[in-house]
Each structure stands twice: as structure tokens, then as C-alpha cells.
Amino acid sequence: MIINNYIFIGLLLLAAIAFALAPILVARLIAPRKRSRTKSEPYECGVLTLGETWVRFRIQYYIFALMFVVFDVETLFLFPWAAGYASLGLFALVEMVVFLGFLLLGLVYAWAKGVLRWV
Amino acid sequence: MPTVGPSTLDFRDFFFVAPEMLLAVWGLVVLLLDLWLARRLDPAARRLWVGRVALAGTGLAFAVALAVGLVPLMARAYPEDAGSWLSKSTLDYLFDTDPSLFSGTLAGDLQVGAFDLLYIVLLGLIVGLSRAWSFTEEWGEFLALLFWATVGMMLLSAAEELITLFVALETMTICLYLATALEKTRRRSAEAGLKYFIYGSVSSALFLFGLSYVYGLTGTTHLSAIRRLLVEAQQSGLTANAAGATAVLLILAGFGFKIAAVPFHQWAPDAYEGAPAPAAAWIATGSKIASLIAFMKVFANALEPWASPDSNVLRPGWIGIVAVVAAVTMTYGNLAALRQRNFKRMLAYSSIAHGGYLLVGVIAVGLAADVSRAAGAVLFYLVVYAFANLGAFAAAAWLARDKESDQIDDLNGLGRKQPLLAICITLLMLSLIGIPPLGGFFGKLYVFMEALDERTASRGSISLVWLVGLALLNSVVSAFYYVRVLRAMFLREPAGKPMAAADRLIALPILLSTAVVVGAGLTPDLLMGVMQAAAAPMLTTPIVVHKLTAPTPVGPPAPKKPTPAFQYSADQMKKMGQMATGGAGPPGGGGPAPKAKAGTKSATPKSKAQAPASKKAENRP
Amino acid sequence: MTAFAVPTSWIFWAQEQAVELDRGLAVRWGLWLVVGFLAVFPGIVAYMVLLERKAAARFQDRIGPNRVGPLGLLQPIADALKLLTKEDLVPRGADALVHLAAPVLVIVSAFLMLAVIPFAVGMAPVDLPSGVLYLIAASSLSPLGVFLAGWSSRNKYSLLGAMRAVAQLVSYEIPQVLSVIPIVLWGGGLSLVAIFDKQADYGWFIASPPGLLAFLILLVASIAELNRAPFDIPEAESEIVAGFHTEYSGMRFSLFFLAEYLSVFAVGCLATALFLGGGMPIPFARFPLNLLDGSLARLVVVDLILLAVFAAKVFSFVLLMIWIRATLLRLRVDRLMNFAWKYLTPLAIVNILVAGIWYECVIRPGALTLGRWLGGTLVTGPMVAGLVWLAFWVNRREWAGEAAGPGRPSLEGARPDWETPGQTGASPQRAH
Amino acid sequence: MARILFLVIAGVGLTSALSTVLSRNLVRAAVSLAGFFFTVACLFILLEAEFLAALQVLIYVGAVSILLMFGIMLTRGVQGTDLVSGPSAARLPGIVVGLVVFAVLGYAIFEEKGLRTQYSWGALDERTAIARGSKEPGSPLRSAVNNMGKVVGVELMTRYVIAFELAGLLLTAALVGAVAVAHREEDETRSTGSGVPPEKPEPTADKPNP
């Protein structure tokens, strides 16, 4: 049954977490620990951070993230289509041409609008 | 390899969605053309050309929609002639009285055809209105979003299945959110877009959650199948069905938002005021029509068995909830509109109030003995309301163009400067109040008469008298704020610079709306006849899509469309010409029909197409 | 209120029979987990690091590590010990929990990717019906980890590096995902095992024009996904110190390092399984699968062959990556984003449709024949070539403008990655 | 076994949902939300819908949470404040409303009565695993569960083709609209509308210069 496989995945997940945490724990045990104020300061060329660290970023990042989500959602449709294509006919290809055509033209629009240019 | 139930796709079905496809593609054309022109032309010329192309698109879509509507009619009217230039399979397809498309996810009946045409006409007027003045830089985007919103509306009013319905609803509203926010020079526009978006997405989530409950309860998303299952389950009303009640509440929240019914109305005034007038007009008209049609389909068709248990409206059942919502909505809308000085805001509140009246109509549909008549009344109301509102928003656009404001006071003295248009606006306002003999009066009359109908009352035995009384009282209240517009136009002296003469783009919507409103008032029977014919298939078609044997996301294949085995007699041809499609078959599994409701339903369209209905029933397993 | 009294057992509900564990399965899993995931794969990764150092040294006319053990073979162990004994530092002001969780998330992502790879017949840890999708989903976790690493450090360089890294990662994730879809299309399902079987019948999927293009897109996108040169802007030492992991040191840093190499390995396995016919040594032959007759001995032999070939292919893939890293220069950040959105994504999208045509030409008609293959190549080959040409032609201005010298908007209009607030003195400008 | 799994997953999900709501640090709240998305994926797996689970991880954990993070990094109004959300006056009503909604939904689910062929939701104890629902290997149910991607694809291409194409249109509209709303002409240095005087940022001054 399917769920069996996912029990393995779950175990693997736990194993990966353990695999990542174990060395850190070991390092805690065997590594030297000498705390000092200077040492724990953020590494910005030896000068303390000026102003706020968590600055506000430009909207460009957000537009890219948004386009990423749009195209990621598009794959949500592409995967089932590709998986089921064998039992469908050529019409499925045509439907996908229409679907992708719209999205591609959306991309072309964004391109022509200049938002794809990273400055 | 596991075999997958071979769902089939009938490519001829795409013929009936040609207008939608055309509009979708045309939106892209406009968008890309605008981009291309932006580098070559100055803004004014670009706006002109983009607008022209968009108008051409709506014209083309109108022609296509007309053709889509007429070809089957012509073929049925002249089968011999049609046979000479259409293939046998096409002919069979056109003669097929089953109006469902794409395995029953869409309806292809008269209601869809008529409203497709209506949407396209309204869209054309709104596109023209957008050209009237320059309120945004993003012309192509704005027009494309209007086009795509229209696609959403057309498919929303055609949807016979919850997934399609939801996607169409989202397409419509998302395009409208964005169009609302596109007037980027004004902060109000962005604010309006954001408010609209946040309220809208929350209510969409609730709506989808409600739909998932319905799916979980019934195992299907097809409206007619849901109805059949609920009838078979013999649970009339929501008594002892808490899950159903929750579903109803959640779905109601979704629709309530779209039509701005009261607990979900907060977005409307801000959105109407902040949005550019054409976008607001499209929210107020197209989106409202489509949402109400979908509302009626979901509630009065799919969830009809849950309408009310028996005698009492306020017993568990969605009618009771809707009745309360309707009462609160119209009262609140009218009272709040009284205080408004801003024209668009006033229109927003008045549209909330009209949503309340329309909900009374929906209740009447839920209770009515003659569903098509009751639904026809609601559709009639919707059409008249839409045109009256469109004219009002054209006036708002005029204000925005010349005065860059939306205050009612800015209309001062219009009656002297522009008497013709001022009289037209007056007529529209009177129609919105419901003064005879304008269309608005008959809209209200029909809706309220349906609510008070004797047979309805005998079925429900409670009367909706209190609701109708409240509605009438509200109509009186509404007169005060509509009259304020008239007073400004005719009794006040103009202040500041007067408004320039309206150009064709603004005058045309006003004149056409007035013509429709007056025409509907003078010959209400004509429009009412069309609307009743349209409403008949909308709520009564039993589209048997899949037999439910098990709760499964994958239904067994849809039964093939029954190829009509009968001869096309002249008589039947006439009937089919009226597109009286199918009629209600006997409710699936038999058993004692609950509370005789299904019985009355199935007997409803008895005047029409009895023969095809029985033929189809034979063909069905 | 009977409502809450009725289903007292409700919260304990689950589908009882859905889980079936037997001893054989448990042993298999145990072996995979302990031997495979906790020993062999990390070991491979450790030696990949050594390989990279050695190879890079050769490219630069050096010798590379050769002190610890014969040929420097014990170097990874020494490195691991060194890292273990480094102090575990969390900068002041950092969000300690998130700071710890970020590398774990990245590692988990890399580990999970390996769970569905069919190394040989019956040698996939698990065969999921939605294997490909699972793989993509697992790999999509790492951008989140990268962002959290940068954000939690409370260091401007870290945050800047993280934002850039995530922007790059998500941009290249799209072509990476899209380039896999032709494989799903041809494989007729999402299971990697089914895809392997299909490649036995229809030849390696790379052996077709759309397959080749998809493979190249996958290769480029994967390099970018792994933050490796020439796409290593996110950790560009000379520009933003070390990007998102500036504040990571010792074992925590090595987790990122490990995850990167583990991902390189995983992507190598992925490309091998999806495009290069898994462990099949010959493109269009069923060998060695035709040796199978159900006996265990045969199976072992076949699996050994498959494993060896698989390992060789992954090795070549990794070598290719090292080669690319040693050869190519770092891309400028605008070029980098351009390349994802203006070249790879449109190409990958259209390539999916070409892949559909290939399916109609070659796979749907029936068994593979030379004629069909040639026909398909003749039909789709020009399409693919035309597409690639078109992609570069459309973008020609970029190159032409570059050649024209100054006046390019590229750096003239360059703006910082953040909004300048304008009203406060808290500008992120540094007094340096 | 599966019950324990369910309890564990539900517990983790509840914890992360609570910490999403209660965390005052926005990024942490978003991380918790991503964790919650992940537990939803786990629940999908328990329901034998692994295809949905993979999509859930891909779309929500992989994409939407990134969008959230970028949104947080973008929209913070004033610099100098920490990335936190303050305690709201609406907290108490919010809690009350949340509990009421929870109670209503819980009541609805417990009280649900199955319609004819359906299992009642409250009686899921007696329900067998979906994949076992039908023994014969070729049954639609079984293939739907074991090969959901494929079945979804076929349905999308036939029955739901309009919804599918409309979804494409919807995505395009969202993309176009978002670009149009968010895009500012690069040449224009007009203010963002917040009353800040337009200020041309110097090209290099803000670059951290190590």
C-alpha cells in the first residue's frame, strides 16, 4: 500500500534531521567554547551593523516571487496532463497548447513590460 | 496498467463557448497591442487605438454570440436547408435537446445565450466608457482584465458544476480586483482594490470550504446530481443536517460577498468609490448578474431540497437565512445611502439595497410553484437594474472626466446645460426607485408578486408578506436619495466650471440604458417572456451526468448524449425552437417524492417539450 | 449535546489497514537508512569534495590535497574532524532556533530527494506513484532553508545574499521543473521506476531532440539551483562576503556544504534516472534487463551491472559540474535572472509541446523502430533547433548592446536591492 | 500505527498553527505556517492522496511560503521597527470567533448524516482504506487512488476542460494584473505615494562595500 512508502519517507526525514543535528551536538561536546562579546558579533567587516539589519527590499523581488508562484501553479496542471497523456489523444496536446500559450504570452507581457529586467 | 474511466470530450461543444474563447483571446490581443503601441504612439493616440480594437472585439464577440445562438435555431427551423450544408453529426448535435456541454459542466441553453449577449453589450458600453477619459496608464491591462472578467461572468452563469463555477467566479473577481486597483495615480483606487481583494479572498475561501462540504456530503460536484441525491436522501430542509447547514452558511458567505449582501458588504462602498467608474460599473452590473444567476443555480437548483422543511420560512432551511439577510441588506443599504453625498458611494449603497430586493426574488424562486416564472422575474429585475446602473455609472464617469470628483453636488445645474441627458438620468433614477411605468417598477412588481404568489404561499404557507412589506417601505426610503440627484440636476445652480458636453461614449450608455428601461416599462411582457424562457432550463434541466455508485472523485463515464430517435415534426421543431430543453425528468431513484415538491417541479414545464422529455427518460438508465 | 459523545473514538481514527509492515520490509528499510543514507551517501559526498578539490587543482595546474593518507584519500576524514572541533557560534542577535533549523531544512531537502531514485532493478529505496512530483517537492524545500539562514543571522550581507539566492533559486526552479515534464509525458506516469522501464523500451530519453534540450535545461537549471559557479552569486565571496551563510561556521557551515554536495549527487542521480536511462549501459538496447529470468543470481548480476553503470554516469555528471565550475566565470546578477526567465523558461515551456509531438511520432505508434526514431528526429529536431535559435535571437540585443560598450543601462541604472526609506537616517549605507 | 501517526501529525499541525497565530515575529509566524502546510501534506498522505501531498509541498511549502517571506521583506512600512506584529485590540473577539467557528465545524462534522451511498463522516471507524474499497485492480477507484496524477490529468482534459483552460486564463490574468499594479516605470522617479519626496538613489552608495 502507498502509505508504507511514506512511512519510510517519514523515517528518512527523522534520520536526516538526526544526521544534521548529531554533529552539532557532538561539536558542542568536544569543541572548545570560549565566548566573547566580539566573537559573537555579526560579521560585517569588523564593524557593527549600522541601522537596521532587516532592511526593506525592493518590489522587484516580490514580482519575481509572484511569477514563480504563477508558474509553479502552472506545473500543477502540467504534471497530471503529462501523466495522463498516454490515455488521451492529440486533443490534449492542443488543449495544453492553448493553456501554455496564454501563460507564455503572459510571460511575454511581463518581459515587454520590463519587469524581467533585473537592475 | 489500470484503466481509467474513459471520459469523453465532444469537440462540437466548443462551438458553444466560442464567444468566451474569442473574448479571452481578444483580451490578450488588446494587451499585447497596447504594449506594442506604447512605444510608437503618444498616450492619447494609443488609448484611442486600443479602445477601438477593444470595441471591435466586443462587436465581433457579439456577432459570434449571436451566431452561436442562431445557428441551432435556424437549423431547427429549417432542417432540410440545414441538412444541405451541415454534416449529419453536426445536425444531430444541433438537434440534440440536451443542453449540457462538456459532460454536463456547462449549460448551453437559452439563458446562457441570452446572457452572453447581454454581457457583451454591457461590456461594449463599458469599454466605450473607459475610453471617455484618461484615468490610467495601463490601458491594455485594464481592458484585458475587463474582457477576462467577462469571460468569467459568462462561464459563471453557464456553469452547471461546482468546480467550473468556482474557477469562473474567481476569474471574474480576480480580474475585477485588479481592474479596481489600476487607477494608479489615486491612492483611493489602490485602497479600494486592496479592500476588495482581502474581503473577496476570505469570502472565496469560505465559499470553497462550503462547496467542499457539499462535495463531501454528496460525492459529486454536478448541480443536478447534487439535487437528485438530496431529493433521494429525503431530508427536506436542513433539519438534522448540521453539515449541510454549515455548507449553506459558508456558500452563502461567498455569494453574499459577491452580491454585497449585508454582513459581507463592507467592501462595496469603498470599492465602488475608489475604482475607476468603468470598473465599478462592471462590478455593479456584470458581476452582480453573474453572481445572482450562479446563486440561483446553486441554491434554487442544487440545494433546493434544503430550501425549507415545510410550512415555515424560518424553519431550518436556507430560505430562512436568506430572508433575514435580504431584510437586513435592503434596510441597511437604503438607510446608509441616505447619508451619502458621493455619487458613486450612493450608488454602492443603493446596489446593496437592490441586492436585498433580488434576494427576495431568490427566496421566491426557492419557494415558487412555477420556478421559471419566479426566476424569470429575478432575471428581468437584473437586466433592468443592470442597465439603469450602467447609465448611472456613465454619469459618474462623466463627472470623473470633467470634475475629477464624484460628489452629487457636482451634478448641479446639469438639467439646464444638458437637458436630454439629464432627463435620461432622471428616468434611470426613477426606474431605480421603481416608479411606474419604468422597467424598475415592473422588475420590483414581478419579484414581489412572485414572493406573494398564492401558490407559493400555499406551498410554503407562510407568507413573505412581511418581507415584501419591508421591501416596499424601503423603496419609499430609497426615493429620497435618488431624488437628491434629480434635485441637484434640476433645482440647483451650477457651481464652478460646468461640465462639458458628454461625448458619444458617455451619452450612448445613458441613452441606451434609458431606452431599455423605458422599453421594459412600456412592454414588460416582451422582456419577461424572454427571461421566463431563459429561466426555464436554468433551474429545471436534469442533466444526468454520472450515476453515483460510490463516493469517488472519478465518476464512471458520462452517459453518451442520447441521439434523438424521434422524427423532427413541425410541432416539435417549434418547441425546440423555444429551446424548452428537456424538462425535469422524474427524480432519479423514485421512492415517495418528498413533500410533493419534486412532483410539482417535474411537472412544471409541462406545457413544453413533454415529448422530448419522455424520450430522454427512456434513454436514460 | 449528544454531538460530542457519539464518536469518542473519532480522534483515533485512521485507516487501520493502510499500514502493512513485515519483517522483510523493515530489514530493507533499515539497510537503506543505515547503510545507504547514513553511511554510503555521506561517504560519496565526502569523496566528491575531495574529487572537486583534486580536479579543480588540476585545472589550475596544482596538485591538490595529497598530505593526509595516500593520495590525500583520508583528507575528508581530517576535514570532518577539524570541523567537529570548531567552536559552535551563534551570533548575537540571531534568531537561535531558526538559525539552527535552516541548515537542517536544507539537509533534509537533499536527503529526501534521494529516496525515490531507482539505482537498479528493485534498488529504489521506495517507488512512489508520484515519484517525480515528490522529488520536485522535496527539492523545493531548500530555498526556504536558504532564506531562513540569511534572515536569522541578523547580518545585512546574509540577508542580501539570502534574498538574492532565493530569487535565483526560485527563478531556476521553474525551468528545472518544466524540463522534467517531457519525461513524465514519455514515461506515462510519475513513478521513476516506470520511467526507467520506459527508457528500457524506448531508449534513453536524452536520445531525442526535445529530450536533449530538456536535459540541457535541467543541467543549467540544476547548476543554478545548487548555487555553483557560474551561478554562485548568492555566495559570491568577493561581493557579499559569503552570502546567506556568512554567519555560519564550524559544523553548521559544513551542513550547508554537505547539503550542497549531497544535492549535486542527488541531481546527478536524478538526471541519470530521468534522462540517461538509469543504469542501462547501451542507449537503445534492453541489455542487461533481458538477462533477467527470475532467478536471484541473475538479478544480482544485472543489478551489479546497472549499479556500476549508474555510478559511472553520476560520476561523469559530477565531473561535468566540476569542469563547468572550473572553467566558467561568475554571471552578473542581471544576466543570471535574465537567463532563467528569458531563455530557459520559454524554451522549457515550448519544449513540453515539442515533447508531445515526439510522443505522437515515436512512442504512441508502438514499439521503437529506427524509422520512427528517425522520423521523430526529423520532425522535432528542426523545431528544437529553431527554438534555441529563436531564444537567442530574441535576446540578441543583450549581447549586441554589450558589445557596443558603454551606454548600456545595465549598471547605469543599477539600484540597491532595498528600498531607500528617504526619511530616516537609518539608511543601510555602511560607514566604511 | 496509523492512529498514532495521525495523532502525532495532528499534534504537530496544531502546534504550528498555534504558533503561527501567536508568534509576534512575522517571519517566524510564516515559518510556522509553512510547517503547518507540511503537516497538511502529511494528512493527505494518511488519506492516501499522495499526489495532493506532493502538490501541497511543492506549491505551499515551496512557493507560497517564499512569496510570504518576500512579502514580509517588502511590505514592512517603517524601518527601525522590528519584524513583529503588535497585540491587537481584536484579539479577544478573534479568539471567541475562532472558537465559535471551530465549534460549529466540529458539530457539523460530528452530526453529519450520510446520504444514501455515502459513509457518514462520524462513522469513519468502519470505513476501509480507500484503495481497498474495491478489490479488482482495474476499478476506477483503485486507479484513482494509486495513480491519482494520471486520473486527474485525464479528467482535466475531458470533463473539466473548461475549468482547466479558465485556470490558465486566471493565472495569466493574475500575472498580468500583478505586474501592472506593482510595476513602476523605471525612468520615473515619482514617489511611491507615501508622501516621500522622490529621491533618486545613488547608484552605488547603498551597496555594502566590504
Side-chain angles (χ1 to χ4, degrees), chain B residues 162-251:
Chain B
L162 294 178
I163 294 174
T164 312
L165 187 137
F166 181 73
V167 179
L169 191 72
E170 282 305 286
T171 309
M172 177 184 89
T173 44
I174 284 182
C175 291
L176 290 177
Y177 306 146
L178 292 163
T180 301
L182 268 187
E183 191 172 356
K184 280 157 70 179
T185 47
R186 280 171 67 221
R187 292 199 75 192
R188 299 217 67 126
S189 171
E191 184 193 328
L194 191 67
K195 274 190 183 158
Y196 191 17
F197 169 68
I198 288 176
Y199 279 105
S201 41
V202 170
S203 76
S204 288
L206 296 180
F207 181 65
L208 189 59
F209 196 37
L211 295 189
S212 76
Y213 266 60
V214 171
Y215 173 68
L217 279 165
T218 58
T220 176
T221 56
H222 289 268
L223 298 180
S224 52
I226 291 172
R227 179 196 182 127
R228 195 162 42 95
L229 267 160
L230 294 185
V231 169
E232 284 170 14
Q234 300 180 25
Q235 285 180 357
S236 173
L238 288 164
T239 324
N241 197 333
T246 316
V248 163
L249 278 178
L250 292 169
I251 296 176

Side-chain angles (χ1 to χ4, degrees), chain C residues 183-239:
Chain C
I183 304 305
V184 178
L185 179 65
W186 298 334
L190 292 160
S191 152
L192 278 127
V193 174
I195 287 170
F196 174 76
D197 290 343
K198 205 78 170 184
Q199 294 194 69
D201 294 337
Y202 290 96
W204 303 358
F205 283 152
I206 194 179
S208 64
L212 183 65
L213 180 59
F215 177 75
L216 291 177
I217 293 172
L218 181 84
L219 178 68
V220 175
S222 300
I223 294 174
E225 282 287 290
L226 301 167
N227 290 337
R228 289 175 62 87
F231 301 102
D232 56 349
I233 280 279
E235 41 194 60
E237 293 87 344
S238 49
E239 297 181 29

